[in-house]
Amino acid sequence: MGNKALGKAPAEAVSKYGSEAEELGLTRAEYIRKCIEVGRLVFQSSGEMDIERLRNLSEGAGAASFDSSLETTEGDLTGAILSNLPVDEHRALTKEEVRTAVFGTEDEQREQVTEALKQLSQQDKIQPLVDDGYIKTNE
């Protein structure tokens, strides 16, 4: 698996996906990847929609959790892994693909950490140091 450009999307689609991702607190890449994974869950390898799976996903609002938080607890982690794994062996994911589906790419993880550090600094909950380190404030 690697980062490959699949083509260019229309500007309005990029803007729409960016807005939807922002509302959910995700990067656009994370949001699009999660949409693709949901699509993979709903469509069978034959290309036909799995109506029962779609019904289960929609009735269990929140049942398919795509938590990509780096603070995932062990129980949440197993749930996130299960929600991202397909049931069809022809669409099996490697360990690396599972890691990326749950936590995002290394670049996305760095971006999430950078954004979280920026927010914590703006809230005066942490203090950046000269040597690129961080400490908690007394608040």
Side-chain angles (χ1 to χ4, degrees):
M1 217 173 144
N3 292 334
K4 295 182 181 178
L6 297 177
K8 295 186 178 189
E12 63 269 2
V14 172
S15 177
K16 176 184 171 189
Y17 296 148
S19 297
E20 291 172 358
E22 189 174 314
E23 288 177 23
L24 296 170
L26 300 170
T27 66
R28 187 173 55 230
E30 289 173 312
Y31 176 72
I32 291 170
R33 188 177 61 252
K34 290 176 190 306
C35 289
I36 291 169
E37 287 303 314
V38 168
R40 288 180 66 204
L41 289 173
V42 173
F43 285 92
Q44 300 171 347
S45 60
S46 66
E48 295 180 22
M49 190 173 351
D50 184 344
I51 300 296
E52 188 60 34
R53 178 161 299 213
L54 178 60
R55 185 175 294 118
N56 289 339
L57 288 172
S58 63
E59 288 174 358
S65 170
F66 295 101
D67 183 18
S68 63
S69 167
L70 296 178
E71 297 178 33
T72 304
T73 63
E74 187 175 326
D76 291 340
L77 180 57
T78 58
I81 290 171
L82 285 174
S83 69
N84 281 287
L85 284 177
V87 293
D88 183 352
E89 68 182 61
H90 294 94
R91 298 185 307 183
L93 300 179
T94 65
K95 282 185 182 181
E96 182 62 21
E97 289 170 324
V98 171
R99 186 197 62 77
T100 301
V102 174
F103 296 110
T105 64
E106 288 183 36
D107 288 340
E108 289 169 338
Q109 292 173 29
R110 284 186 188 92
E111 185 178 317
Q112 288 174 11
V113 169
T114 299
E115 184 60 32
L117 288 170
K118 185 180 357 175
Q119 288 175 9
L120 289 169
S121 182
Q122 289 171 347
Q123 297 169 3
D124 292 325
K125 293 183 178 183
I126 65 170
Q127 178 182 353
L129 303 176
V130 176
D131 64 353
D132 206 26
Y134 294 86
I135 58 171
K136 287 195 288 186
T137 61
N138 291 331
E139 294 181 20

